[in-house]
Amino acid sequence: MGMILIDDQLTKRENAHIDIEDRGYQFGDGIYEVFRVYNGKVFRMQDHLDRFQRSADEIGLQLPYGLDRLQSFLEQLIETNGLSEGNVYLQASRGVAPRSHPFPEESRSVLVAYTIEGERPLEYIRNGIRTITEADIRWLRCDIKSLNLLGAVLAKQKAKEHGCQEAILHRDGTVTEGSSTNVFLVKDGQLITHPANNLILHGITRLVVLELAEELGIPVKEETFTLEDLRKADEVFITGTTVEISPVVQIDDYHVGDGKPGPVVHRLQEAFEKQI
């Protein structure tokens, strides 16, 4: 990890400390972003920064400085740590104040960022993943990339206990997204994914897939679909910053299609590779 960013300073991790009354620690009162780095460069940096700002605005959190300056600090962090392939984690909390539920009258947000080395998940991309379905018990503002991730953590843990890589969430049978991904199905050559409303996070890779589908002439519907629709799909795949475009070959106890990645996801993966 090397150096980390705290507010506007790069420092060694062992020199960094967070106060026990930080509202991110006590209330989950904050937001975060995860950026993917390829060959030392952040993929879709501006889209991530814009979403970070939107999340801050939605919860009334004042960032310590503007996005241009933040981008400069993140680029400096990547260069200082010599990160070529991996991720950058960025978080902002509402700051330190005596513990009380309402926003403190005076507090300054605390911003933290660090780098994580990590190779691309090529096995998942090429061969697909196994998933389970799980009830979506999260709050109703999933469009905000907040620190409140316990519902997602529980779903991901259950998937792991079942030997799977992801949990596909649903509300009364209507599929929303994965515990840390967006979900697409393919039926008769058409992509279908949940609308980008308050029930899902509008993923950056999701956005890229929608753009690529338009370029490739693949029809897309952003509309709700059910667990039964998922069961009848020709192909299913998930998208996310760290999983890219990963085919789903098994859901619960049944195979998707013929149990192998399909032709539509292959086309999208090839186009995504060119963007990288």
Side-chain angles (χ1 to χ4, degrees):
M1 186 180 297
M3 305 293 282
I4 69 172
L5 174 68
I6 294 210
D7 292 330
D8 59 355
Q9 298 292 323
L10 292 182
T11 185
K12 293 182 179 179
R13 178 171 180 171
E14 56 265 30
N15 296 333
H17 302 281
I18 300 297
D19 193 288
I20 62 169
E21 288 191 307
D22 186 290
R23 290 178 63 88
Y25 173 68
Q26 294 197 337
F27 292 104
D29 187 0
I31 58 171
Y32 78 102
E33 273 292 326
V34 179
F35 305 75
R36 184 65 186 174
V37 175
Y38 299 105
N39 298 319
K41 301 293 183 182
V42 176
F43 185 67
R44 305 290 288 234
M45 169 79 91
Q46 193 60 52
D47 289 321
H48 281 284
L49 290 175
D50 289 345
R51 185 172 65 179
F52 190 65
Q53 181 67 66
R54 179 188 180 276
S55 293
D57 293 342
E58 288 295 312
I59 67 169
L61 189 153
Q62 182 69 42
L63 296 176
Y65 42 79
L67 295 186
D68 289 345
R69 193 176 179 199
L70 176 55
Q71 178 173 340
S72 178
F73 279 130
L74 294 178
E75 290 170 347
Q76 184 180 351
L77 177 66
I78 292 167
E79 182 178 358
T80 300
N81 285 341
L83 181 66
S84 175
E85 197 90 359
N87 306 316
V88 176
Y89 179 82
L90 169 67
Q91 173 179 305
S93 77
R94 202 177 302 278
V96 178
R99 191 180 191 281
S100 180
H101 283 69
F103 295 171
E105 292 184 6
E106 294 184 8
S107 68
R108 183 179 184 277
S109 59
V110 175
L111 187 144
V112 177
Y114 58 88
T115 60
I116 310 164
E117 291 185 355
E119 297 179 354
R120 297 176 62 193
L122 296 179
E123 180 181 352
Y124 296 160
I125 294 169
R126 293 167 180 164
N127 301 320
I129 67 167
R130 297 186 303 278
T131 66
I132 62 169
T133 55
E134 185 71 7
D136 192 343
I137 61 172
R138 303 169 303 164
W139 73 324
L140 296 177
R141 288 305 308 274
C142 297
D143 55 307
I144 300 172
K145 201 167 177 68
S146 80
L147 303 182
N148 298 276
L149 295 174
L150 188 56
V153 167
L154 293 175
K156 186 76 79 173
Q157 177 62 24
K158 188 167 184 180
K160 180 180 179 181
E161 291 170 356
H162 282 76
C164 297
Q165 291 76 48
E166 179 59 303
I168 295 177
L169 305 178
H170 67 93
R171 294 184 187 267
D172 297 323
T174 297
V175 175
T176 49
E177 57 184 345
S179 68
S180 62
T181 60
N182 292 120
V183 178
F184 287 77
L185 69 78
V186 181
K187 186 64 178 177
D188 298 327
Q190 183 176 62
L191 296 184
I192 304 175
T193 192
H194 195 286
N197 57 21
N198 64 297
L199 298 181
I200 73 163
L201 181 71
H202 188 7
I204 304 304
T205 310
R206 175 187 184 278
L207 172 64
V208 174
V209 166
L210 295 179
E211 293 174 353
L212 294 176
E214 183 176 2
E215 293 174 8
L216 295 171
I218 301 172
V220 179
K221 281 187 178 180
E222 292 185 72
E223 64 180 24
T224 58
F225 58 91
T226 66
L227 289 173
E228 184 63 23
D229 294 327
L230 202 65
R231 184 179 290 271
K232 295 177 180 178
D234 301 322
E235 302 177 47
V236 176
F237 61 90
I238 60 170
T239 61
T241 295
T242 59
V243 300
E244 300 183 9
I245 303 172
S246 291
V248 174
V249 296
Q250 184 173 329
I251 302 173
D252 293 328
D253 58 354
Y254 68 91
H255 293 295
V256 177
D258 62 1
K260 298 178 181 179
V264 174
V265 75
H266 279 313
R267 291 181 65 195
L268 291 167
Q269 287 176 331
E270 289 173 358
F272 187 82
E273 193 77 28
K274 291 178 181 177
Q275 280 219 1
I276 294 173

